[in-house]
């Protein structure tokens, strides 16, 4: 017992838990593979993809996933590097499932924003960045595909600053681009790293290190004819650019930038090592009893994701829980705070793609999968003494809405049960017309494929065949102020409904109407998120 807090502190300090945010095709899968390769968690590149393929072969409700060539589900990967324990929270590749990504970001301590050097900031990057900002997550930027002709690094920095409103500080600077990409200069550690050719990045790569300031004779000699222009760019950054400040990075006001090529492995290791040094360890999280420090409380955690039927041989539900304080031990009793029930947490697994391994101990920052007998909801707190609840995970505004019709009246009960269960998992958001009881449900989703998954699952798991008819709304806003329902009575551009908790929600045909409503009724206040 005596050295327990010290033991937990040591484990907290060496943990780094993050998610990668990017637009599809920027190279998230490739980068993840290379990181796992360095961590020794994979022996060959291509394994993440191969595992995805293997999972396709064995899952059946994810048949849909296979048909459409998308990844609906996600998992958590972990590895050790230089004494750090690294947890990567994988997020779905398809943007229709970005609600899942939003929730996963609630369990991360930082995010890596991956950008394609030729494309810059894309639509999905922007959306996910806004969610990170809401959570004040520190963001590290990796500019990928430097092995191809892309945009000028200074131009990319300006675009990030203009579009996202965050300061950029290049920590590494590319030496050449496209076929000419030879290495990076590490500005923080004052060293030049030149890469030897790789075997398409499948092996650990050799890199030559020349320590010295950018204008030192050693570095200039190694750079050869390129030396002067690189030294000039770096001098420009030193004089005109923002200065690196870890405090600003941790506050989410400055993003350190790295350049590389995940495909050829160039620049990935220097990025990983610098990231592990600079990224935050698991910190205090807000609760209804104030911030919960990871080392000052016994075990606690919250559920940020529920995944059903990942494996048709098991037909079970797994709740993904982030450990927030203390030490998790298998078989310990914990209080499920929302219901006050005591649970024995005996069925805990670590999820690495499809494989599951039993976890006996876990520390703050780690994510474990708990067998869910149907009681968990997104945002639920579990803790030793049940004395507080974590702040919860907000629902984000859906962008697509449908009304549900069930073909056979007899199936109403099954429909209700199914919708309730799936909304509890976060598969869709469930709304109702005010005063309608359980009749006339309205569903909301960030991406329309969520509805396809829902229909598929209701049919295969609850034997209910649904008809969905699209509603013409594109946004939802939760009320933050008192309001007079009469305001919205005669408008067909808006509709007043309720969420699952009975909170009033306004549906809008477009944001344009929101501006008009606010102009006419300046006393109204809305939130883009509920909860
Ligand atoms: P995602 O998970 O973000 O959607 O991206 P993914 O890693 O699947 O990469 C998308 C495409 O970009 C892949 O090509 C991948 O090989 C390529 N790519 C990733 N990183 C780099 C890089 O650093 N440089 C270059 N030149 N390409 C990169 P694909 O042709 O769509 O797939 P594949 O046939 O290579 O598997």
């Amino acid at each position: 017992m005596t050295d327990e807090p010290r033991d937990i502190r040591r484990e907290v300090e060496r943990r780094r838990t993050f998610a990668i945010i990017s637009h599809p095709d920027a190279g998230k899968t490739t980068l993840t593979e290379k990181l796992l390769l360095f961590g020794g968690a994979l022996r060959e590149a291509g394994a993440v993809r191969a595992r995805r393929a293997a999972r396709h072969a064995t899952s059946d409700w994810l048949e849909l996933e296979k048909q459409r060539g998308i990844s609906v589900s996600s998992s958590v990967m972990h590895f050790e590097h230089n004494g750090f324990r690294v947890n990567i929270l994988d997020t779905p590749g398809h943007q229709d499932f970005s609600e899942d990504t939003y929730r996963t970001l609630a369990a991360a301590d930082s995010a890596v924003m991956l950008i394609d050097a030729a494309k810059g900031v894309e639509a999905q990057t922007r959306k996910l960045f806004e969610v990170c900002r809401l959570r004040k997550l520190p963001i590290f930027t990796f500019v990928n595909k430097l092995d191809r002709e892309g945009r000028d690094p200074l131009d990319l920095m300006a675009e990030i600053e203009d579009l996202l409103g965050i300061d950029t500080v290049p920590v590494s600077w590319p030496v050449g681009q496209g076929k000419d990409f030879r290495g990076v200069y590490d500005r923080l550690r004052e060293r030049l790293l030149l890469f030897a050719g790789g075997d398409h990045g499948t092996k650990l790569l050799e890199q030559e290190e020349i320590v010295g300031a950018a204008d030192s004779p050693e570095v200039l000699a190694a750079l050869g004819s390129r030396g002067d222009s690189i030294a000039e760019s770096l001098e420009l950054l030193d004089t005109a650019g923002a200065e690196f400040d870890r405090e600003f990075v941790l506050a989410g006001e400055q993003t350190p930038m790295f350049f590389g090529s995940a495909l050829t492995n160039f620049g990935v290791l220097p990025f990983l090592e610098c990231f592990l040094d600079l990224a935050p360890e698991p910190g205090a999280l807000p609760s209804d009893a104030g911030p919960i420090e990871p080392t000052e409380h016994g075990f606690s955690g919250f559920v940020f994701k529920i995944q059903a039927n990942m494996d048709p041989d098991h037909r079970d539900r797994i709740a993904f829980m982030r450990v927030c304080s203390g030490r998790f031990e298998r078989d310990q009793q914990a209080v499920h705070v929302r219901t006050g029930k005591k649970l024995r947490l005996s069925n805990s697994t670590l999820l690495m793609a499809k494989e599951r391994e039993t976890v006996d101990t876990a520390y703050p920052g780690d994510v474990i999968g708990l067998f869910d007998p149907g009681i968990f909801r997104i945002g639920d707190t579990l803790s030793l003494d049940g004395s507080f609840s974590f702040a919860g995970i907000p629902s984000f505004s859906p962008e697509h809405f449908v009304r549900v019709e069930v073909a056979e009246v007899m199936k109403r009960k099954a429909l209700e049960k199914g919708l309730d269960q799936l909304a509890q998992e976060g598969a869709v958001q469930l709304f109702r017309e005010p005063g309608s009881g359980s009749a006339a449900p309205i569903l909301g989703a960030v991406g329309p494929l969520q509805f396809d998954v829902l229909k598929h699952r209701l049919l295969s798991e609850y034997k209910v065949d649904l008809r969905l008819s699209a509603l013409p709304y594109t946004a939802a806003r939760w009320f933050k102020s008192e309001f007079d329902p009469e305001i919205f009575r005669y408008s067909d551009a808006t509709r007043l409904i309720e969420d699952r908790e009975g909170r009033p929600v306004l549906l809008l045909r477009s944001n344009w109407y929101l501006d008009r409503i606010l102009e006419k009724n300046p006393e109204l206040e809305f939130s883009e998120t509920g909860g």
Side-chain angles (χ1 to χ4, degrees), residues 22-30 49 144-145 147-148 261-264:
S22 62
H23 193 83
D25 265 356
K28 189 164 60 120
T29 312
T30 313
R49 235 174 278 266
N144 192 27
K145 307 199 186 180
D147 59 303
R148 279 199 200 151
S261 155
L263 189 69
T264 57

Side-chain angles (χ1 to χ4, degrees), residues 180-228:
D180 247 9
F181 183 42
R182 290 285 174 273
V184 291
Y185 182 77
D186 176 347
R187 292 175 73 212
L188 282 192
R189 298 183 191 181
E190 297 210 312
R191 57 181 187 154
L192 174 68
L193 296 166
L194 293 178
F195 308 128
D199 178 13
H200 242 298
T202 50
K203 295 206 180 79
L204 289 184
L205 171 90
E206 285 170 33
Q207 57 187 30
E208 190 189 345
E209 177 177 329
I210 300 114
V211 178
D215 55 1
S216 65
E218 299 80 5
V219 168
L220 285 175
L223 286 171
S225 60
R226 262 185 277 258
D228 287 342

Side-chain angles (χ1 to χ4, degrees), residues 388-403:
F388 59 84
S389 279
F390 285 107
I393 301 177
S395 334
F396 288 85
S397 169
E399 291 163 32
H400 302 268
F401 298 87
V402 293
R403 179 186 287 294

Side-chain angles (χ1 to χ4, degrees), residues 113-384:
M113 176 165 75
L114 184 66
I115 285 181
D116 183 324
K119 297 190 174 151
V121 175
E122 296 177 83
Q124 189 63 4
T125 331
R126 221 166 147 162
K127 250 183 172 173
L128 294 170
F129 176 87
E130 289 307 329
V131 178
C132 293
R133 188 189 329 251
L134 209 65
R135 286 218 51 229
K136 298 197 171 65
L137 276 187
I139 298 171
F140 295 76
T141 303
F142 186 86
V143 180
N144 192 27
K145 307 199 186 180
L146 262 283
D147 59 303
R148 279 199 200 151
E149 292 308 325
R151 288 169 46 189
D152 186 315
L154 287 169
D155 183 32
L156 289 167
M157 285 170 61
E159 181 169 287
I160 292 174
E161 300 202 348
D162 289 348
L163 290 182
L164 306 180
I166 187 168
D167 281 344
T168 56
V169 176
V171 162
S172 74
W173 193 252
V175 175
Q177 208 162 340
K179 283 197 188 73
D180 247 9
F181 183 42
R182 290 285 174 273
V184 291
Y185 182 77
D186 176 347
R187 292 175 73 212
L188 282 192
R189 298 183 191 181
E190 297 210 312
R191 57 181 187 154
L192 174 68
L193 296 166
L194 293 178
F195 308 128
D199 178 13
H200 242 298
T202 50
K203 295 206 180 79
L204 289 184
L205 171 90
E206 285 170 33
Q207 57 187 30
E208 190 189 345
E209 177 177 329
I210 300 114
V211 178
D215 55 1
S216 65
E218 299 80 5
V219 168
L220 285 175
L223 286 171
S225 60
R226 262 185 277 258
D228 287 342
S229 74
I230 303 273
E232 210 174 288
S233 304
L234 290 169
E235 201 187 314
L236 182 73
L237 292 177
D238 285 344
T239 50
E243 205 172 316
F244 173 81
D245 187 326
R246 188 165 182 251
E247 295 265 303
F248 288 154
V249 173
L250 296 185
E253 290 166 17
Q254 187 181 84
T255 180
M257 282 178 78
F258 300 82
F259 294 84
S261 155
L263 189 69
T264 57
N265 237 344
F266 284 12
V268 178
L269 187 60
F271 158 68
L272 174 66
E273 296 192 339
C274 198
F275 168 76
L276 293 178
D277 276 347
L278 300 178
E281 62 187 52
L285 290 173
S287 82
D288 57 2
I292 302 299
E293 290 290 342
T295 48
E296 284 170 18
H297 285 266
F299 157 73
S300 73
F302 69 83
V303 173
F304 64 95
K305 176 184 169 67
I306 295 173
Q307 181 133 34
N309 304 350
M310 282 160 74
D311 184 340
D313 292 339
H314 294 284
R315 283 274 172 217
D316 52 8
R317 303 208 316 175
I318 300 284
F320 287 65
M321 181 189 65
R322 176 193 154 108
V323 179
C324 301
S325 68
R327 179 174 28 215
F328 167 87
E329 278 172 66
R330 195 160 70 86
D331 275 337
Q332 82 195 141
Q333 272 216 342
V335 180
H336 178 241
V337 179
R338 185 169 50 80
T339 58
K341 277 193 183 134
K342 281 205 165 149
L343 305 176
R344 182 168 296 285
L345 304 178
S346 46
N347 206 328
S348 46
T349 54
L350 259 176
L351 298 124
M352 183 88 172
K354 182 176 174 291
E355 277 123 59
R356 298 178 184 187
E357 62 189 79
T358 300
V359 184
D360 291 320
T361 335
Y363 293 93
D366 290 346
V367 170
I368 51 183
L370 295 172
F371 171 72
D372 177 15
I375 64 163
F376 293 130
R377 275 195 205 166
I378 304 275
D380 276 358
T381 299
L382 283 155
S383 74
L384 269 194

